[in-house]
Amino acid sequence: MNQIPNGGRRGGLRIWVLVLFALYAGWYWYSNRSVDPLTGQTVMIDRSISPEQEKALGLQAYREVLQQERPLPADAEASRQVRAIADRLIAVIPEVSDALAAEHQMQASHIERSFDWDVTVLQSDQVNAFCLPGGKMAVYTGLLPVAQTPDAMAVVMGHEISHALLRHGAQRMTRERLEQIGQAAGAASGMDQGTLRTVMSAYGLGSALPYARSQETQADELGLMLAAAACFDPHQAIPLWQRMDQRSGNGAPPEFASTHPSAGTRIHDLEQLMPKAEQYRARFCKQPVAAN
């Protein structure tokens, strides 16, 4: 009686592990996918990740940041200015969300209703800002001289708020879970790391770059609509990103190697969105606005 070589058995086991992973990955994607009403795009969010869990994680991260950084006093001029911008953006979220969802014949989920909004200005040279799930925001003082105007600051803060509204954090956590399952399957099958990366790439896993750039583009659009609806000048997004580009200089990585779109791509896309932003400004801005 002929015996099957050990190498043959291992090869068969490897194939079955990969087949099972492929079946599970397909089921996982199908059962956790949904259409985001604000973008009209299909997204994957693990149904076990609730907005409340995201909110708790956001609060924990926010507290850790405040312990590590130096918050400005709440009555400091920069704090008051940033908080005023945030208040205007937050106020228009419901109607902008409804309008965007209506464009896709859907209804907005209004996740912002559960948010406990807060915004802090942090003393740091970082040119950065963030909004965590649950509405905890921070703006670094290093961003102020680059933004220069309340309109440009509103574009940045609208962008960061949009990440939270679009549940990009939950999408990233879901993707990480699927990648961990793929890595475990590769280890169980005895697959070498090079082959594993090739297989995972075939499923769109293993590299977050294009995925992250897509999220940045979504946040750019929603953020621009929020800024325009809150009576800020959306056109200030263009010189803002020109200044960002000048500041980064030749040190900026090429777009294909970055989690963010290049400044040139961003400016081009924002220019294409200006007619829509102007419509949102005319539709939702509740106060007289000087002509551009």
Side-chain angles (χ1 to χ4, degrees):
M1 180 176 179
N2 295 330
Q3 293 184 342
I4 300 174
N6 289 337
R9 288 198 296 269
R10 285 197 297 270
L13 175 63
R14 177 181 299 178
I15 291 173
W16 275 111
V17 168
L18 294 178
V19 168
L20 290 174
F21 166 67
L23 291 174
Y24 178 78
W27 171 84
Y28 185 86
W29 180 85
Y30 183 81
S31 61
N32 289 291
R33 67 176 182 167
S34 61
V35 177
D36 190 294
L38 302 185
T39 65
Q41 298 182 14
T42 299
V43 299
M44 186 172 67
I45 298 179
D46 192 311
R47 297 187 186 279
S48 68
I49 304 174
S50 69
E52 285 302 314
Q53 287 177 308
E54 287 183 88
K55 182 178 173 180
L57 290 172
L59 177 59
Q60 179 183 349
Y62 189 63
R63 287 172 174 169
E64 291 176 358
V65 170
L66 294 184
Q67 290 176 353
Q68 298 168 3
E69 303 287 353
R70 292 184 298 161
L72 290 184
D75 60 353
E77 182 179 359
S79 297
R80 293 197 305 271
Q81 292 174 345
V82 168
R83 190 163 54 249
I85 294 171
D87 289 343
R88 287 170 58 178
L89 293 169
I90 292 167
V92 299
I93 290 174
E95 52 194 355
V96 170
S97 297
D98 286 336
L100 288 171
E103 292 179 9
H104 307 115
Q105 293 77 52
M106 299 182 70
Q107 291 185 337
S109 61
H110 290 296
I111 188 176
E112 77 280 355
R113 291 173 180 166
S114 67
F115 284 12
D116 296 323
W117 296 100
D118 191 18
V119 58
T120 301
V121 177
L122 303 175
Q123 183 67 49
S124 171
D125 292 335
Q126 291 188 56
V127 182
N128 203 3
F130 65 77
C131 179
L132 297 168
K136 303 303 184 184
M137 290 184 282
V139 172
Y140 292 87
T141 54
L143 178 62
L144 301 178
V146 180
Q148 295 185 4
T149 68
D151 300 286
M153 181 62 76
V155 169
V156 175
M157 294 179 66
H159 170 97
E160 299 302 331
I161 288 171
S162 297
H163 280 306
L165 297 178
L166 295 169
R167 299 192 68 190
H168 284 163
Q171 292 178 36
R172 287 193 291 271
M173 284 191 287
T174 301
R175 184 183 178 87
E176 289 169 0
R177 288 184 180 183
L178 192 54
E179 289 176 352
Q180 290 170 357
I181 294 169
Q183 290 167 356
S189 69
M191 183 182 299
D192 65 85
Q193 289 299 309
T195 305
L196 176 60
R197 284 193 294 269
T198 301
V199 172
M200 293 183 69
S201 295
Y203 285 95
L205 302 173
S207 174
L209 297 182
Y211 183 74
R213 286 198 295 270
S214 174
Q215 291 186 341
E216 290 298 313
T217 300
Q218 292 171 5
D220 276 348
E221 178 170 358
L222 176 53
L224 193 68
M225 299 309 129
L226 290 173
C231 303
F232 294 102
D233 180 7
H235 293 270
Q236 291 304 309
I238 306 304
L240 166 68
W241 281 106
Q242 289 172 340
R243 290 192 294 273
M244 289 284 197
D245 191 31
Q246 292 171 357
R247 187 181 182 280
S248 62
N250 295 327
E255 182 171 348
F256 69 83
S258 175
T259 57
H260 289 60
S262 69
T265 297
R266 214 160 206 162
I267 289 170
H268 174 269
D269 292 345
L270 288 168
E271 286 175 338
Q272 299 302 306
L273 288 169
M274 283 305 159
K276 181 176 179 179
E278 290 172 348
Q279 292 174 3
Y280 271 62
R281 191 184 193 195
R283 179 178 175 184
F284 297 115
C285 179
K286 301 298 192 297
Q287 65 187 47
V289 180
N292 293 329

